Amino acid sequence: MAKRIVWTPKATNLFTKILEFYCQRNHSNTYSRKLNKEIYESVKLLAKYPLVGLKTDMENIRVLIKGDFKIFYEIRTAEIVIHLVWDSRQDPSKLSL
């Protein structure tokens, strides 16, 4: 049975900032639209196959890698919680869940 997907406010905010960054950098929203679609398709996959991501050092947190992006999520009884979408080209010292 598919689980419901829930985005934390932090995940939503950071992913929005990533999309805005690429809109400004590329002077176009074409890449951001493509990226948005790809990430949401990957997240939909998690609803059906929650164990597809890799285990992390953090208890109950898994990561799904999509190109240069990592989707950190938690599997709960009835839902998948998206904690963070991270562009792995960023400085890793900024990464925190």
Side-chain angles (χ1 to χ4, degrees):
M1 183 169 145
K3 295 179 181 270
R4 181 173 73 107
I5 301 292
V6 177
W7 287 67
T8 63
K10 179 179 181 177
T12 301
N13 184 40
L14 289 174
F15 187 51
T16 300
K17 286 182 180 181
I18 289 170
L19 296 175
E20 289 172 352
F21 168 80
Y22 284 108
C23 279
Q24 291 175 1
R25 181 178 148 231
N26 299 336
H27 303 289
S28 168
N29 63 3
T30 303
Y31 178 73
S32 292
R33 283 183 174 180
K34 177 184 172 201
L35 176 60
N36 188 52
K37 181 180 177 185
E38 288 177 0
I39 294 297
Y40 274 93
E41 289 296 320
S42 297
V43 167
K44 284 194 322 190
L45 178 70
L46 292 176
K48 286 188 174 184
Y49 307 103
L51 298 176
V52 72
L54 304 170
K55 289 183 180 181
T56 67
D57 293 340
M58 297 167 280
E59 191 174 340
N60 299 324
I61 302 293
R62 298 180 80 86
V63 61
L64 179 66
I65 300 170
K66 176 66 178 164
D68 291 321
F69 297 88
K70 295 179 179 180
I71 303 166
F72 290 88
Y73 66 97
E74 178 180 5
I75 304 170
R76 295 188 181 164
T77 304
E79 62 192 16
I80 302 289
V81 179
I82 307 299
H83 287 286
L84 182 67
V85 176
W86 182 256
D87 185 339
S88 60
R89 295 168 286 192
Q90 296 179 74
D91 180 359
S93 67
K94 295 179 183 178
L95 178 61
S96 68
L97 293 182

